[in-house]
Amino acid sequence: MNLPYIYNHYSVKNIMFFVLIASIPAILTECYFFGVVVLIQILLFIIFSLLFEIIILKIRGKNIKNNILDNSSIVTAVLLGLSVPATLTWWMIMFSSFFAIVVAKHLYGGLGQNIFNPAMVGYAVLLISFPLYMSACYKENTKLFSLDDVTISINKIFFQTSKSDVFIDNDPDIFTKATPLNDFKNKSRASYNTSLENISLKNKKIIIFSSWNYINISFLLGGFFLLYKKIICWRIPFSFLFSLFIFSTINYFFSTNLIVCPLFHFFSGGTMICAFFISTDPVTTSYSNIGKIIFGLIIGFLVYIIRNYSDYPDGIAFSVLFGNMIVPLIDDFLKTSGYGHKKI
Amino acid sequence: MYYTLLIKKKYNFSGGIKCLSINTELDNYIINYIPYPKEFFVHVKYNTLKKNMLRVKINQKVLCGEPLTFGDCLSVPIHAPTSGLIKNIEFNSNCFGINKENIKITIISDYLDQWIRLKKINNYKLYSPQSLIKIIYRSGVVGLGGAYFSSSKKLMLSINKVHTLVVNAVESDPYITADYCLMNNYLNEIFIGCEIISWISKVKNIFIVIQEDKIKLISQIKLLIQNKPLFKICIFKKKYPAGSSKIIIQSLTGKDIPYGQHSIDIGYLIFNIATVYAIKRAVINGEPLIQRIVSLYNDKNHLSKNFLIRIGTPINFFLNYLKIKNNLDYMIYIGGVFMNNILIDLNYSISKDINCVLIRKYEKKTKKPINYSCINCGYCVQVCPVNLLPQKLYLHSKYNHHEKAKSSYIMDCIECKICEKVCPSNIPLVKYFKREKIIQNEIDTEIKRKKMFFNHFQQREARILNQKTIVHENKNDFNNTNLMKFSVLEKTSKKEFVNKQEIEKNIRKEILRSSIERAKLKK
């Protein structure tokens, strides 16, 4: 509907398209640090998810053209490709996109009916079934966009040849890691008894200058673009970051050596992609304003707990899924009263 | 722009939507006159109970301003728009709702326009409020904003109850300018009308409510107000659904009108500006209400004009005058850009509650807007002016959860159609709500009917039982105490009713047993 007298009118298609545009800087920075692998991986995710979408739409007997044109499956594919590390083989990609599209989205009744965030379901399935691949790290990329780089990445994804490259750990030359949080956790646990101070200081220095800073900053830029276009509400990301900040600062002042500082929490792992891209998915969040704030606070608290006290390095997928579980309960309790009735 | 800086406080409400202002200048809006048509169609609401409402016959001559019907406590009399001959009186269904039947009176005008004798009043303070209200009732004034509630009854209710009069000059729909046009031309008469109402219902202060973009009018009103302590001007922000009386009171005072009550119960009396003008004409000039200002919005060149039109002019004529000849190419709506209803019958005439006619060129849509499924985005929740949850209501009404829909207050929806315009998946939300409201009304009436019939059934059962037992017990000794028992049982509650049934069963069993024994003995 073209209405000349209303500001800011979007359709579903436009909303999804703007999310895709906002994720472009993050894709570019990831390409800069990891090579062409990332691009090929995202392309594979898109192809597989579209294929699964077409098959399941045909089974359900729905109009294929209209349902694909709303761009939602492409958005889930891109977010999945950005959040997983760049070492997966093609059958793993197929596996996770099957779970994201078919199980999480269409078995619940299609777009708008799903309870869980489809991208995070795909991520969680990979994290549970292949934990070794998901916490792998990758060597620094020296030959950017050369022919060598392309061949290596194709080999890696389709034939899984250079296995020895992937699993080097504890190497001083390693520049980038899947998540610096993982490294920090391993080392601090191992050397808990011996020498706390030196290792933790060293780690911090190495980690802060790592690539994940820049990737998180690029996600932040995309998030501000979405906020400027009024596609996402400011309540969820800010309440999420606020609660994560508050809890980690309280903990940091009690034990400065064991636990990383709150700024490090902000710019490592998937904090920013969660804040601006994943947790703001309109389908699986609460619709009322207070409900959105409560949802963000719960996710922030869970991320803090999982990162500091559990075995998983980055707890974003589980905390978002748990938050999605609670959303119907929040919506049921926060009923607004109509006009003129007694306010609850 | 200088005046906008001087305004300190602007009243606002939660929700709503900003609209783009009109590009053409507001000064251009003046009243246009059109000639009288040959035939007038006057529609009268028809109640099945009152069949002797009509005052005229076929082939009778009427003068301009002569009442055509007797009024009763609910409806006001309706007057003839011109002098002429009554050609026909027939039943005609309303063009919006098929179930509501109307009486349609056709008048052929003789182009002489002879009036009846008007009774003018120079000093209205010599009359008592009751007699003034009677005059207003006789001249047939109703709420001209679209409510069609008779204003004489409103005034009767408001005596000694209200403390402020709110004059509603807010036009929420962006392209309707009928009220602005009226204010521009008849500002002094509107002030006299306000004073008449304040004298009738003894209010202490008068608020004139207006939107911020009418800068020139605001400065004019401020000049006129200066020496009058009664009057006060309130300036609203330019937002869409601000015209409703509920929302005006919420943004003025910060309180809601309680459910099921009227604004008079809080102490506020709200009148539309056209109604105030009509009251002045009725009291001082003695004229009945036979004409009003209607604005016409043409979609093609984005221009709205205002016309002073006699009530009863068919829309067909109205379009011919504007040289819109091929009617098939145009879609004609009644109401503004947001709250419009499509018009099927072009012979339908302009009635008292129409304030805008919208004309759009019919285009065959090559691309149908795709209806996606609801993605729970919450745009409609943030926009809703009456604090409802439209997407939840949509789900309940789509899947027929009637009790849940009622518990989330579907009956409070004012059908402003904002949520529908904002929705990114193009869902026709208000259509679902209208259907659900009809179903809710049906359920309500059914429950009432069930209660009534159950009551009747209980009383009848009690009566029959009483008679039976008296007859039965007459065979034995006549006992006073038993009679007393049953008279108590007449005012039954449910438990006693069950008890009664058991007693009745026992009696029947005994009768059966005795008859069987008798039969055995005979054998």
Side-chain angles (χ1 to χ4, degrees):
Chain A
M1 278 192 248
N2 271 328
L3 302 172
Y5 36 82
I6 293 182
Y7 299 114
N8 284 335
H9 181 259
Y10 304 116
S11 69
V12 172
K13 196 178 159 187
N14 286 347
I15 291 172
M16 299 294 176
F17 187 66
F18 275 118
V19 174
L20 284 180
I21 285 176
S23 64
I24 283 174
I27 293 172
L28 290 181
T29 42
E30 279 209 9
C31 273
Y32 175 75
F33 286 114
F34 301 123
V36 193
V37 196
V38 180
L39 267 182
I40 296 170
Q41 211 179 44
I42 288 171
L43 237 157
L44 268 179
F45 264 116
I46 289 173
I47 289 167
F48 278 124
S49 55
L50 281 180
L51 213 141
F52 281 124
E53 177 109 11
I54 289 169
I55 290 168
I56 196 107
L57 282 174
K58 202 136 210 187
I59 292 168
R60 289 180 72 202
K62 297 221 163 187
N63 191 353
I64 292 172
K65 195 186 162 192
N66 286 350
N67 275 305
I68 282 182
L69 274 179
D70 62 6
N71 293 338
S72 64
S73 56
I74 298 173
V75 167
T76 38
V78 168
L79 289 180
L80 251 175
L82 283 174
S83 55
V84 296
T87 50
L88 298 179
T89 50
W90 63 273
W91 55 271
M92 281 182 202
I93 293 169
M94 204 175 86
F95 186 71
S96 79
S97 57
F98 171 80
F99 267 90
I101 297 293
V102 176
V103 176
K105 195 167 143 194
H106 275 286
L107 291 189
Y108 280 97
L111 178 69
Q113 306 284 318
N114 48 339
I115 303 169
F116 298 110
N117 193 334
M120 280 302 100
V121 168
Y123 185 85
V125 164
L126 280 183
L127 193 64
I128 293 167
S129 42
F130 313 109
L132 205 64
Y133 286 87
M134 294 299 285
S135 61
C137 34
Y138 187 46
K139 236 183 176 180
E140 184 195 355
N141 192 7
T142 47
K143 313 150 202 164
L144 254 177
F145 294 106
S146 61
L147 219 144
D148 227 24
D149 185 27
V150 175
T151 50
I152 287 173
S153 52
I154 284 175
N155 276 335
K156 192 174 299 257
I157 286 178
F158 286 99
F159 309 111
Q160 194 74 31
T161 47
S162 52
K163 247 185 183 178
S164 57
D165 263 16
V166 180
F167 298 113
I168 302 169
D169 212 345
N170 303 322
D171 193 24
D173 291 336
I174 289 170
F175 178 64
T176 56
K177 289 178 186 301
T179 46
L181 284 165
N182 186 24
D183 184 63
F184 176 79
K185 178 155 280 174
N186 290 336
K187 279 178 182 169
S188 66
R189 284 281 164 81
S191 54
Y192 181 71
N193 294 321
T194 52
S195 59
L196 281 171
E197 295 172 10
N198 293 326
I199 289 171
S200 61
L201 276 175
K202 233 185 197 175
N203 280 333
K204 276 175 196 174
K205 268 183 189 172
I206 294 165
I207 288 156
I208 283 167
F209 290 110
S210 67
S211 66
W212 280 91
N213 263 341
Y214 298 106
I215 291 169
N216 268 308
I217 286 167
S218 60
F219 274 121
L220 188 69
L221 284 177
F224 278 127
F225 172 74
L226 288 181
L227 279 179
Y228 170 71
K229 280 279 176 188
K230 286 187 179 174
I231 284 165
I232 59 172
C233 180
W234 56 270
R235 288 182 180 84
I236 293 175
F238 279 80
S239 62
F240 165 67
L241 292 178
F242 176 77
S243 74
L244 185 62
F245 181 76
I246 287 287
F247 287 119
S248 52
T249 39
I250 290 169
N251 219 337
Y252 181 67
F253 282 117
F254 277 108
S255 56
T256 44
N257 298 326
L258 264 176
I259 284 157
V260 288
C261 71
L263 261 181
F264 176 78
H265 270 301
F266 271 26
F267 293 105
S268 70
T271 313
M272 288 299 164
I273 191 180
C274 172
F276 290 100
F277 287 81
I278 287 164
S279 66
T280 53
D281 169 31
V283 181
T284 53
T285 53
S286 170
Y287 44 74
S288 58
N289 292 338
I290 306 166
K292 275 175 181 168
I293 289 171
I294 292 172
F295 178 72
L297 290 176
I298 287 171
I299 290 179
F301 177 68
L302 284 173
V303 166
Y304 149 76
I305 278 191
I306 293 172
R307 274 187 181 177
N308 284 329
Y309 298 109
S310 86
D311 288 336
Y312 287 101
D314 201 357
I316 274 165
F318 295 124
S319 53
V320 167
L321 289 178
F322 186 73
N324 291 340
M325 265 193 254
I326 290 181
V327 161
L329 217 131
I330 295 172
D331 285 349
D332 203 46
F333 275 105
L334 289 176
K335 267 183 189 171
T336 56
S337 61
Y339 184 91
H341 295 274
K342 276 183 185 176
K343 273 176 185 164
I344 308 155
Chain B
M1 295 308 291
Y2 173 68
Y3 293 105
T4 49
L5 294 174
L6 286 176
I7 299 159
K8 281 173 192 171
K9 195 187 175 186
K10 286 176 188 172
Y11 292 92
N12 200 358
F13 60 95
S14 64
I17 201 167
K18 276 183 184 177
C19 289
L20 298 170
S21 55
I22 308 164
N23 293 323
T24 52
E25 289 177 9
L26 283 167
D27 303 334
N28 295 334
Y29 294 112
I30 38 167
I31 295 175
N32 298 298
Y33 293 93
I34 60 168
Y36 303 131
K38 201 183 178 188
E39 283 187 336
F40 283 91
F41 303 118
V42 179
H43 291 264
V44 183
K45 270 187 188 172
Y46 175 68
N47 291 338
T48 46
L49 295 173
K50 289 127 198 166
K51 285 187 178 175
N52 48 1
M53 254 172 68
L54 280 174
R55 217 175 209 181
V56 286
K57 292 173 192 168
I58 297 174
N59 292 331
Q60 187 187 336
K61 268 205 167 185
V62 286
L63 295 176
C64 181
E66 199 177 312
L68 298 174
T69 58
F70 296 99
D72 55 342
C73 58
L74 288 171
S75 57
V76 289
I78 286 173
H79 303 267
T82 45
S83 59
L85 199 79
I86 287 177
K87 188 190 173 190
N88 201 4
I89 299 171
E90 59 185 355
F91 286 114
N92 192 30
S93 63
N94 195 344
C95 76
F96 302 128
I98 302 161
N99 297 327
K100 291 172 186 169
E101 278 206 319
N102 280 3
I103 296 173
K104 181 181 170 188
I105 302 169
T106 321
I107 301 171
I108 299 175
S109 70
D110 52 358
Y111 295 108
L112 291 172
D113 207 28
Q114 290 171 324
W115 279 81
I116 47 164
R117 261 181 80 195
L118 301 179
K119 198 183 171 191
K120 288 183 183 176
I121 297 169
N122 285 325
N123 194 0
Y124 60 88
K125 287 190 180 176
L126 297 175
Y127 291 80
S128 68
Q130 267 76 15
S131 59
L132 281 179
I133 286 171
K134 225 169 210 178
I135 290 167
I136 291 167
Y137 171 74
R138 261 185 229 142
S139 54
V141 181
V142 292
L144 294 175
Y148 217 89
F149 191 75
S150 82
S151 47
S152 56
K153 203 179 178 190
K154 216 175 184 178
L155 282 170
M156 278 290 270
L157 289 172
S158 72
I159 291 174
N160 295 329
K161 249 186 174 182
V162 292
H163 51 79
T164 47
L165 166 71
V166 180
V167 179
N168 178 5
V170 174
E171 276 167 325
S172 47
D173 237 314
Y175 291 108
I176 299 178
T177 48
D179 287 356
Y180 176 75
C181 187
L182 188 88
M183 295 260 280
N184 243 348
N185 290 292
Y186 301 106
L187 197 59
N188 285 321
E189 297 192 51
I190 285 163
F191 272 89
I192 296 167
C194 290
E195 277 164 3
I196 291 168
I197 295 168
S198 73
W199 197 76
I200 288 172
S201 55
K202 272 134 195 131
V203 294
K204 280 162 193 163
N205 36 12
I206 300 169
F207 292 152
I208 295 172
V209 177
I210 201 166
Q211 272 184 328
E212 61 183 336
D213 60 333
K214 284 142 192 167
I215 300 160
K216 205 178 170 188
L217 243 179
I218 292 169
S219 60
Q220 258 185 51
I221 291 170
K222 273 191 175 175
L223 272 176
L224 279 172
I225 280 173
Q226 274 180 353
N227 295 325
K228 293 169 182 170
L230 264 178
F231 288 89
K232 199 189 161 192
I233 191 164
C234 300
I235 292 146
F236 270 46
K237 276 200 170 181
K238 178 88 181 160
K239 262 184 169 183
Y240 162 53
S244 164
S245 66
K246 281 179 174 180
I247 291 162
I248 281 176
I249 278 186
Q250 199 206 20
S251 44
L252 271 178
T253 62
K255 287 179 212 161
D256 296 355
I257 303 170
Y259 178 70
Q261 282 182 337
H262 205 257
S263 61
I264 291 169
D265 299 320
I266 306 179
Y268 289 87
L269 180 66
I270 292 186
F271 272 113
N272 194 29
I273 207 134
T275 322
V276 174
Y277 175 68
I279 284 170
K280 186 258 159 190
R281 293 293 273 195
V283 171
I284 291 183
N285 301 34
E287 270 181 32
L289 177 67
I290 56 164
Q291 58 188 6
R292 67 160 300 151
I293 292 176
V294 174
S295 69
L296 175 127
Y297 171 58
N298 201 347
D299 200 34
K300 202 180 173 187
N301 42 11
H302 285 275
L303 189 118
S304 62
K305 285 179 180 175
N306 296 301
F307 292 92
L308 189 70
I309 297 177
R310 292 280 169 96
I311 283 156
T313 313
I315 287 166
N316 209 350
F317 174 80
F318 188 54
L319 296 177
N320 280 339
Y321 177 71
L322 291 169
K323 290 166 187 169
I324 299 170
K325 277 177 185 170
N326 197 354
N327 288 329
L328 286 174
D329 282 356
Y330 289 91
M331 306 276 279
I332 290 146
Y333 301 90
I334 279 178
V337 188
F338 281 97
M339 304 175 83
N340 46 20
N341 289 314
I342 196 165
L343 193 80
I344 307 158
D345 183 15
L346 275 181
N347 276 329
Y348 189 72
S349 60
I350 281 165
S351 63
K352 286 177 183 177
D353 53 346
I354 291 172
N355 58 355
C356 182
V357 177
L358 193 145
I359 299 168
R360 265 185 190 165
K361 201 163 191 188
Y362 179 72
E363 290 165 354
K364 217 177 184 184
K365 282 172 187 169
T366 49
K367 270 189 182 178
K368 246 190 174 179
I370 305 163
N371 290 347
Y372 302 107
S373 47
C374 173
I375 61 160
N376 203 11
C377 58
Y379 287 144
C380 48
V381 177
Q382 284 168 13
V383 144
C384 184
V386 285
N387 206 7
L388 291 173
L389 305 172
Q391 61 192 18
K392 203 118 214 206
L393 291 176
Y394 159 70
L395 286 178
H396 290 325
S397 56
K398 192 183 177 188
Y399 298 115
N400 293 327
H401 300 305
H402 300 305
E403 282 183 15
K404 276 183 183 175
K406 200 186 177 188
S407 68
S408 45
Y409 313 112
I410 197 168
M411 303 305 279
D412 291 351
C413 177
I414 55 170
E415 295 174 18
C416 59
K417 286 189 182 174
I418 277 196
C419 44
E420 194 179 307
K421 304 280 180 191
V422 159
C423 182
S425 358
N426 302 327
I427 302 167
L429 288 165
V430 176
K431 259 186 198 175
Y432 284 98
F433 298 162
K434 277 181 180 171
R435 177 176 149 271
E436 181 65 27
K437 273 185 177 179
I438 292 167
I439 292 170
Q440 291 286 346
N441 278 330
E442 277 174 10
I443 290 170
D444 267 15
T445 48
E446 199 144 286
I447 287 171
K448 269 183 191 171
R449 220 179 273 162
K450 268 180 189 172
K451 268 187 183 173
M452 203 177 79
F453 282 125
F454 186 69
N455 253 333
H456 279 288
F457 172 74
Q458 271 188 341
Q459 286 173 8
R460 181 176 166 275
E461 284 292 290
R463 223 185 306 130
I464 290 168
L465 191 66
N466 204 0
Q467 284 173 0
K468 259 187 187 174
T469 44
I470 286 170
V471 171
H472 180 71
E473 244 143 73
N474 269 339
K475 285 177 184 174
N476 305 325
D477 292 317
F478 195 81
N479 209 346
N480 272 324
T481 52
N482 269 339
L483 243 185
M484 281 301 288
K485 253 188 192 173
F486 286 116
S487 67
V488 169
L489 275 171
E490 256 181 19
K491 308 159 194 168
T492 51
S493 60
K494 261 190 180 177
K495 279 182 185 175
E496 287 170 341
F497 182 67
V498 174
N499 273 332
K500 236 187 282 171
Q501 274 184 336
E502 280 180 8
I503 292 165
E504 199 189 358
K505 263 185 189 176
N506 288 330
I507 291 164
R508 275 180 190 163
K509 271 182 188 174
E510 277 179 21
I511 292 167
L512 266 175
R513 217 178 283 155
S514 60
S515 61
I516 290 165
E517 278 174 12
R518 246 178 277 147
K520 275 181 184 174
L521 279 173
K522 271 183 183 177
K523 276 183 182 178

